[in-house]
Amino acid sequence: IGQYTGLTEKNGKKIFEGDIACAGSEGIIAKCEVKRRIDGIYYMNPNRKTVWYMMPDNVGKTTVEILGNVHDNPELLKEATE
């Protein structure tokens, strides 16, 4: 389903494209979908239409936690936009 990004979240779980993460940046924490790019990953915040970019070397220094994925748990993103 989703391609492995080569990264892990704060609890050691592998991060895949299409995962739904709880991610924090600059004091903002939100649910967002993981989108992959060739040189890292994006965490997309559906509420603010904001994109947080994360390079592989700094993902361990963040508060990223995987909650589910868009295929098995689409309601998680729906809750974030209501």
Side-chain angles (χ1 to χ4, degrees), residues 5 16-19 33-37 40-44:
T5 63
F16 292 86
E17 184 175 13
D19 279 347
E33 180 181 351
V34 175
K35 302 270 186 169
R36 191 174 194 295
R37 203 172 91 159
I41 55 177
Y42 283 100
Y43 295 98
M44 315 257 329

Side-chain angles (χ1 to χ4, degrees), residues 20-81:
I20 298 170
C22 184
S25 178
E26 299 178 7
I28 300 170
I29 297 176
K31 289 180 188 172
C32 38
E33 180 181 351
V34 175
K35 302 270 186 169
R36 191 174 194 295
R37 203 172 91 159
I38 213 161
D39 56 353
I41 55 177
Y42 283 100
Y43 295 98
M44 315 257 329
N45 179 341
N47 290 335
R48 295 181 179 81
K49 307 291 185 213
T50 314
V51 176
W52 295 316
Y53 180 65
M54 183 122 348
M55 292 293 291
D57 60 348
N58 70 1
V59 80
K61 301 173 188 168
T62 66
T63 58
V64 176
E65 182 174 15
I66 300 303
L67 305 174
N69 66 62
V70 296
H71 309 288
D72 297 330
N73 314 99
E75 71 280 358
L76 292 175
L77 280 182
K78 184 177 179 186
E79 292 169 9
T81 59

